[in-house]
Amino acid sequence: MNHTVLSKRLETVGRFVPESARLADIGSDHAYLPVALMLNGKINFAVAGEVVKGPFESARRQVRKDGLNDRIIVRLANGLDAIEEQDEINAVTIAGMGGSLIRDILEAGVQNKRLKGSERLILQPNIGEKTVRVWLKEKNYQIVAESILEENKKIYEIIVAEKADSPVSYSEKELMFGPFLLKERDRVFQKKWQRELHQREVILEQLKKAGEPHRRETIQQEVDWIKEVLASCL
Ligand code: SAM
C-alpha cells in the first residue's frame, strides 16, 4: 500500500478524524492510518499504540521511513495506556478489532482515566457493533455519525461518538442496526442485513431441535426486526 493511500475502510475511518487533530490510533499495526493522515496534512500529532511487539516494530519502522518520528509517537502499550497527559489527544481511532475488545479497551480507559471524555471516538468493529453502541449509550456518548461500506466482500461499520452533556437514549433497534444506518438503509446496509437474516434463520432452525426457548425468542425477535426493516426498503 502507498503510504498516503489507505484501504477504503481506513480511508473512511480517517474521514471522521477532525482537521488538525491530535490523534491516538489504538491497535495501529503498521501505523498506516496516522501516517497517511499526517502525510495528507489532516492531523497535527499522533500516538500509534500497539500491544504486540511485532506490529509495534512495524509501526516504528513505517513512521521512521516516512520521517515522521517527531510528529507520530509509537508506543508499546495496552489499549488507551498509550495515551499520556501531555499528548492532548482529541480524537481516538480503534479499528479492525471485535466489538467486545473495543468495548473493553474503552472501559479500561475510563477506569484508569486515560479517556477524558473530550475526545471524539471513531470506532470500526469488525463484528459486535451492538456491543460498542450499548457501551457508548451506558457511558453517555452520543453517536454523531455512522458509515457502512463494503471492501473485498466484507462489510464494515464505522461508529463516531462524542460525550454528551444530557442523557442519551437509543432504542433496542437503534442499538442493533445503528441509529444513522437505520435511517439511511442504503444498499450495503440491506446487503449486510440480508446476510444476517439468513444466518439467524439457520440458527433458529438448529435451536428448534435443541430446545433453548429463551435464545430462540431473542433471535426470533431479531429476525422479525430485520424482516421489517428490509421490507421497508422495498
Ligand atoms: N487498526 C489497524 C486496522 O484497522 O487496519 C490494525 C487492525 S489489526 C487487525 C488489530 C491490531 O490491534 C493488532 O495489531 C493487535 O496487535 C492490536 N491490538 C489488539 N489488542 C490491543 C490492545 N489491547 N491494545 C493495543 N493494541 C491492540
Side-chain angles (χ1 to χ4, degrees):
M1 191 170 16
N2 178 320
H3 306 161
T4 53
V5 179
L6 292 167
S7 64
K8 187 174 165 188
R9 173 181 63 83
L10 282 180
E11 192 270 327
T12 312
V13 170
R15 244 194 284 141
F16 292 106
V17 173
E19 288 292 333
S20 309
R22 296 180 67 84
L23 173 72
D25 183 43
I26 304 302
S28 200
D29 200 353
H30 287 75
Y32 286 143
L33 180 63
V35 164
L37 293 179
M38 190 64 84
L39 292 177
N40 290 327
K42 177 100 193 251
I43 57 170
N44 281 345
F45 171 83
V47 170
E50 249 301 331
V51 76
V52 176
K53 200 80 192 285
F56 162 74
E57 297 292 356
S58 305
R60 265 218 311 210
R61 261 197 310 276
Q62 189 67 55
V63 168
R64 218 178 287 144
K65 201 164 140 195
D66 286 301
L68 295 171
N69 297 42
D70 54 336
R71 301 176 75 192
I72 302 179
I73 300 179
V74 184
R75 293 197 183 115
L76 185 63
N78 185 9
L80 297 162
D81 287 358
I83 300 176
E84 293 178 7
E85 193 81 40
Q86 71 272 15
D87 298 332
E88 296 179 7
I89 294 302
N90 64 0
V92 174
T93 46
I94 312 180
M97 301 177 204
S100 308
L101 180 54
I102 292 179
R103 186 236 5 240
D104 292 348
I105 288 174
L106 292 170
E107 181 59 33
V110 169
Q111 295 307 323
N112 66 18
K113 299 191 169 51
R114 300 290 172 137
L115 201 59
K116 304 286 178 210
S118 52
E119 311 86 350
R120 165 176 277 212
L121 305 180
I122 302 127
L123 311 168
Q124 183 268 299
N126 286 340
I127 52 164
E129 294 85 357
K130 182 178 174 183
T131 305
V132 174
R133 290 193 191 97
V134 167
W135 185 89
L136 291 170
K137 178 186 149 188
E138 282 170 359
K139 300 293 164 179
N140 220 43
Y141 275 86
Q142 176 111 41
I143 298 173
V144 296
E146 286 176 316
S147 189
I148 189 164
L149 67 120
E150 184 172 11
E151 184 171 50
N152 301 328
K153 298 206 166 78
K154 287 196 188 138
I155 294 178
Y156 302 100
E157 291 186 14
I158 293 157
I159 304 167
V160 186
E162 292 172 2
K163 192 93 173 167
D165 299 327
S166 46
V168 299
S169 127
Y170 293 109
S171 67
E172 279 300 311
K173 245 178 167 176
E174 286 174 319
L175 292 171
M176 179 168 159
F177 295 99
F180 285 86
L181 302 179
L182 185 59
K183 277 202 194 96
E184 287 155 16
R185 302 177 190 203
D186 75 1
R187 189 189 51 80
V188 182
F189 173 91
Q190 292 174 44
K191 189 168 177 181
K192 168 178 173 148
W193 288 104
Q194 291 285 3
R195 280 186 197 169
E196 295 279 335
L197 176 61
H198 176 69
Q199 283 170 9
R200 278 170 177 76
E201 284 176 335
V202 170
I203 296 170
L204 262 185
E205 275 310 306
Q206 288 164 353
L207 287 177
K208 272 182 197 156
K209 291 173 203 147
E212 298 201 49
H214 180 65
R215 189 154 142 70
R216 217 163 62 199
E217 251 173 53
T218 309
I219 295 180
Q220 185 62 58
Q221 173 68 89
E222 290 176 352
V223 164
D224 294 344
W225 280 342
I226 299 171
K227 282 183 176 165
E228 189 189 306
V229 167
L230 290 176
S232 72
C233 297
L234 298 174

